Amino acid sequence: MEKFDYREALKNIPHKPGVYQYWDSEKELIYIGKAKDLRNRVGSYFNKDIQINAKTRVLVSKIRNITFTIVDTEVDAWLLENSMIKKYQPRYNVMLKDDKTYPWIIIKNENYPRIYWTRRIIKDGSKYLGPYASVSMMHTILGLIKETYPLRTCNLQLTRQNIEKGKFKVCLEYQLGNCKGPCQDYQSEADYNNSINEIKDILSGKIGTVVRNLKSDLEKAVSELNFEQAHRLKRKQDLLENYQSKSTVVNSSITDVDVFSIASEEKYAFVNFLKVMNGTITQTQTIELKKRLDETDEELLTIAITEFRTRYDSHSKEIIVPFNIDVEDSSIKFTVPKLGEKRKLLDLSQKNVMFFKKEKIDQYEKLNPEIRTERLLTLMMKDLRLNQLPRHIECFDNSNFQGKYPVSAIVVFRDGKPSKKDYRHFNVKTVVGPDDFATMEEAVFRRYRRMLDEGSDLPQLIIIDGGKGQLSSAMKSLKLLGIDKQVTVIGIAKRLEELYYPGDQYPMYLDKRSETLKVIQQLRDEAHRFGITFHRKKRDKGTLATELELIEGIGKTTAEKLLKYFKSVKKIREATETELQEVVNLKQAKAITQYFNPAVSDVTGLQ
C-alpha cells in the first residue's frame, strides 16, 4: 500500500482556523475536523510523542490525502464543520442520532397571519419558532394563544380589496368568540397585528413585557369605566401570569442564555440544551451522539453546541456549560457557574440529560443484555482503577460461633452475575480459636494454590470482606504464592462501605448510588449468606454430635457416623436397635435406645 507523506502535506497547511478533511485511498471522505490552528491540529495526529487511541490509529493509517478550508474565526470553523458533517456523514465522525422531524410553530406570512404548528418548513417569508422537542409543550403554548388571543383559523385570502368588496361572511368561530371577524372588517388589521406582536413576545419568552402592557391597558379601561373591556384584559392577564409562573425557572434578569450539559458512556454521549429567555425556558431538547474515535466530552459538547445553535437559530452571547471550553471568540462568553441562578439552570439541564441517558440505556439493555454487562464491567474497571475488565470476580467471607466452628466461603461472579457452580466452602484446618485474620490467610492460600495446581485462570478482582487486617492477611498468602502482582485485591469494611487497597493508608469511597459499589455489596452479601448457611449446618451438626457424645460408649467419631447415616437426631431417637446396629454394635445400640427412651427400656428390663 502506498505510504502517505504527511510531512509534505503539512507544509501546505497554514497556522489559521479552519476545517480539515481526511480522504482514503478510494478518494472517500472519512473524517472532518475543526481547529483554531490547522497545521498544529493535523500534525498532532502524526506526532509519535502524542498518545492516540487504537481507533484514531486506524483512521490515521487510512489517510491518503488532506484538504482544508480556512475561515475567519474558530466559531466559523464550528459552523462549517457541523454543516459538512451533516452533508457528507464521514464514517469516523461522531454520529448524531436524531431521526425525528420536530414540529415548529409558524406565524404565516400573509395578511392577518394565522398561527399553527407544522413539520414542514417552506421558505415563503413566514416566521418559524422552534423546533419543539416536547410536542405537549408546543400544544400548551398554542392552547394559551388560542384562549388569550382570538385569531382566524380560515385560509381565506384576506386582502384589503377582497374585504372591501364584501366577499366573505363571518363563520361559526366568530359566533363562538374565537375570532373577531377580520374577514368582514370587524377587527382592524392594526389591532390584529398588535395581537401577533404580543404572541411573538410570548414565544420569545418576553411574557413579562406583555403582562406589564396588559396591566397598563387594564388600568386605563377601569379609569374610563369600560368594565367589559377591563374584564377581558384581566382574564388575559391572569392566563399569562399563570403560564409565566409555571414556565419561569430562574430570575427574569437572565435574559438570553443557552445552557448545555453532557453525560457520557463508553460508546455514546448525551447532550441537553435549554434556551432561556427572561427567566423562562423557551426551548429544550436532548440528543444522542455515537462516538467513533473515543472523543472527549469537550469535543462532543462543542459538536452539540454548534448543532443546537444552528437548529434553533440561537445567537445568545452567553453559553452556560459544565466545564471550560477552549474557544477564543469575543462574540461568545462561556460561563461555568458555581453558585446562584445560573448554577440552578446548569443543574436542571444535568438532571434532564441524566434522565434521558438512563432511559436510553435501559432501552438498549432490554434489547441486548450484553450491552449492560459490558457497560457495567467498563464502569467497574474505571471506578476501581483496574487495567482489565473484571469478568471474573471472587469474594471471601469468614464465619465462626464464639470462636468455634470457623468456616470460610468464596462466591464467584462471572460477567457481573453469580456463578453458583463455582462457589466453595473451606473447613478451617490450621487455625485454633477465633483468629479471623489467620482464617482468611488459610482460605486464600488454599483457594489459589489449588487454582495454580490445576492451571485455572485467576480472577481479575478479589474482594475481601473486611478492613485492613483481613486484606493484609489475604495479601500474605498471595505473595507466598507469587501472584500478588497478577490480581487486584480490595477489602470492603462494612461500617461505612470503605474500600481499601493494599498499601494505601486511606480508604476510597464510591458514591452510595454507584453501580460498582452495588455489585461489590452484592458479592459481599452473597458471600456472607453462603458462608452463614454452611456455618449453621456445621454448628448444628457439631451441637448434635456433642449431645450424642453424652451417651455412654459413643465418642465423637461414632456420633458423626450416626448423624451421617440417619441425617438427624430425631431419626436416631426413633430408630430400633436393629436399625441402629447398621452403624454401631449391640451394646452401643442398647445405650442409645435407653438414653432416648428410658421409660421403655425400664419396662423391658422388668420383664
Side-chain angles (χ1 to χ4, degrees), residues 20-255:
Y20 56 91
Q21 303 95 36
Y22 293 156
W23 305 78
D24 65 8
S25 58
E26 303 295 323
K27 297 184 179 181
E28 180 183 348
L29 183 58
I30 57 175
Y31 186 76
I32 297 171
K34 64 182 178 303
K36 59 182 176 182
D37 187 314
L38 282 167
R39 182 180 292 186
N40 288 350
R41 181 70 182 112
V42 172
S44 69
Y45 284 89
F46 303 93
N47 191 337
K48 294 179 181 178
D49 295 331
I50 298 177
Q51 283 193 337
I52 58 175
N53 59 61
K55 292 178 182 177
T56 306
R57 281 198 295 272
V58 172
L59 165 65
V60 172
S61 70
K62 294 180 180 293
I63 298 172
R64 292 295 174 271
N65 187 27
I66 302 173
T67 57
F68 57 88
T69 305
I70 299 171
V71 294
D72 291 329
T73 67
E74 193 175 351
V75 173
D76 291 337
W78 279 18
L79 297 171
L80 180 58
E81 179 201 39
N82 179 261
S83 62
M84 290 183 73
I85 290 173
K86 279 185 175 180
K87 181 177 180 180
Y88 298 107
Q89 297 183 355
R91 62 177 297 190
Y92 286 101
N93 275 101
V94 170
M95 186 173 76
L96 178 66
K97 298 191 73 178
D98 182 20
D99 56 356
K100 294 180 180 177
T101 304
Y102 291 102
W104 300 71
I105 290 177
I106 178 175
I107 301 176
K108 193 69 176 171
N109 181 25
E110 60 189 357
N111 297 322
Y112 303 93
R114 289 169 292 158
I115 296 180
Y116 55 94
W117 69 273
T118 181
R119 293 185 188 272
R120 292 180 60 216
I121 296 179
I122 302 171
K123 294 183 179 180
D124 60 355
S126 299
K127 185 174 180 62
Y128 291 85
L129 295 111
Y132 287 88
S134 170
V135 176
S136 62
M137 182 184 187
M138 180 197 69
H139 284 300
T140 298
I141 294 171
L142 286 174
L144 170 73
I145 291 170
K146 184 176 181 180
E147 197 169 354
T148 312
Y149 297 94
L151 301 176
R152 74 172 180 125
T153 56
C154 62
N155 57 2
L156 301 175
Q157 297 292 322
L158 296 187
T159 62
R160 174 49 47 190
Q161 185 179 11
N162 287 341
I163 293 172
E164 288 176 353
K165 285 183 178 180
K167 284 191 173 184
F168 313 115
K169 296 290 182 182
V170 292
C171 62
L172 183 60
E173 288 293 299
Y174 173 79
Q175 308 298 337
L176 294 172
N178 296 331
C179 176
K180 290 185 177 180
C183 58
Q184 283 193 249
D185 217 10
Y186 294 158
Q187 181 184 22
S188 70
E189 192 166 2
D191 182 59
Y192 193 99
N193 287 337
N194 183 57
S195 294
I196 294 296
N197 289 331
E198 288 185 6
I199 291 168
K200 286 179 180 177
D201 285 341
I202 291 169
L203 293 173
S204 300
K206 300 176 183 176
I207 299 179
T209 304
V210 179
V211 170
R212 283 193 295 273
N213 292 337
L214 279 173
K215 284 182 178 178
S216 176
D217 292 342
L218 176 59
E219 289 171 1
K220 183 180 177 183
V222 171
S223 66
E224 294 174 354
L225 304 181
N226 189 347
F227 299 117
E228 187 177 342
Q229 173 71 357
H231 175 72
R232 286 197 296 268
L233 292 171
K234 183 66 171 71
R235 184 172 177 277
K236 185 186 290 188
Q237 179 188 328
D238 290 343
L239 285 168
L240 289 172
E241 285 182 338
N242 181 52
Y243 175 77
Q244 185 181 30
S245 66
K246 290 179 179 178
S247 58
T248 300
V249 292
V250 290
N251 195 299
S252 59
S253 63
I254 299 179
T255 54

Side-chain angles (χ1 to χ4, degrees), residues 3 13 15 40 49 59 104 110 181 189 205 331 435 488 512 531:
K3 192 173 181 180
I13 301 176
H15 291 286
N40 288 350
D49 295 331
L59 165 65
W104 300 71
E110 60 189 357
E189 192 166 2
S331 65
D435 190 338
T488 300
K512 300 300 181 189

